Amino acid sequence: MKSRPKNRALMYERRSDDSQEASFKQQFDWAKAKSEIVGVPFRGTYADIEEMQRRRLHHSLDLYIDDAISGGDLSRPGLRKFLQDAITDKTVSHVYVFKRDRLGRPQGLLEMMGLEHQLLSSGVTLVTHDKIYTPEELKDNELMYLLGGIVEYQEHGRFSPRLGDRIVFVQQSMA
């Protein structure tokens, strides 16, 4: 497995529900800044994201979104198109996804790792807020990559209920 030459990127965003108003803007701003650091641009502006939302589109230019769709649903239209385009379009060298859990929070962790594996095996580099995952990393130590990913997705799945419990506890304490 070898990384594709640096060329262009795609960006994927997801928010679970429409009460996360700032989420798309934050994810976009992070991806734009990261693309400048990495040196691999994508086409699209935040105004394009807003237009996609208004028109209920999942894809425009190099932007892919799923709005108010659970991360457990791996048949999301934006995700499916994003993965298909990233894997088949050889001009795509990088993808920007703020956090792995924006890709998904499936019940089947191996299924999520399988999707990531397809992406990296095709030569695409996955860029998240805290790490850059390369095809070479997958090739050099596939077992550690897969185990680390499974643990990370598992923790993301546990984080939300724990956060909710903490918020309720703090609110009860304050009352």
Side-chain angles (χ1 to χ4, degrees):
M1 287 169 256
K2 184 178 176 199
S3 292
R4 294 177 184 170
K6 280 187 174 185
N7 189 28
R8 82 177 238 266
L10 305 180
M11 185 207 59
Y12 176 76
E13 296 186 22
R14 179 185 65 81
R15 64 181 188 169
S16 300
D17 59 58
D18 55 13
S19 67
Q20 298 174 315
E21 294 87 10
S23 180
F24 275 165
K25 177 77 169 120
Q26 291 169 341
Q27 290 177 62
F28 180 85
D29 289 346
W30 163 83
K32 201 60 158 172
K34 194 69 160 185
S35 74
E36 291 173 12
I37 293 167
V38 174
V40 181
F42 59 88
R43 296 172 297 146
T45 65
Y46 187 68
D48 295 319
I49 297 279
E50 292 174 316
E51 181 64 17
M52 290 167 68
Q53 285 181 276
R54 273 192 294 280
R55 296 179 57 205
R56 298 184 187 266
L57 300 175
H58 298 281
H59 168 244
S60 178
L61 302 169
D62 291 336
L63 309 172
Y64 300 77
I65 65 170
D66 283 309
D67 193 7
I69 302 176
S70 167
D73 180 359
L74 294 182
S75 65
R76 298 184 309 271
L79 175 67
R80 287 291 165 195
K81 179 77 171 141
F82 168 75
L83 291 171
Q84 175 189 353
D85 290 353
I87 291 167
T88 61
D89 184 342
K90 301 302 181 195
T91 68
V92 174
S93 61
H94 289 66
V95 295
Y96 298 104
V97 181
F98 181 65
K99 288 184 173 183
R100 277 175 143 173
D101 74 345
R102 296 300 82 199
L103 280 175
R105 286 188 177 162
Q107 294 298 316
L109 301 175
L110 293 177
E111 186 176 7
M112 193 66 240
M113 288 310 301
L115 294 175
E116 267 193 34
H117 192 280
Q118 280 183 287
L119 191 65
L120 292 168
S121 294
S122 71
V124 175
T125 297
L126 170 62
V127 181
T128 67
H129 79 290
D130 63 347
K131 188 155 175 35
I132 296 176
Y133 302 93
T134 66
E136 288 79 11
E137 176 186 5
L138 178 62
K139 180 182 177 190
D140 291 345
N141 201 344
E142 187 171 15
L143 180 60
M144 289 308 293
Y145 174 83
L146 294 172
L147 290 174
I150 288 170
V151 168
E152 188 174 337
Y153 278 114
Q154 179 72 25
E155 286 305 307
H156 283 295
R158 289 182 181 163
F159 174 74
S160 294
R162 287 193 317 239
L163 178 60
D165 291 345
R166 286 185 211 135
I167 290 171
V168 169
F169 175 77
V170 168
Q171 288 176 337
Q172 286 174 340
S173 298
M174 291 171 60

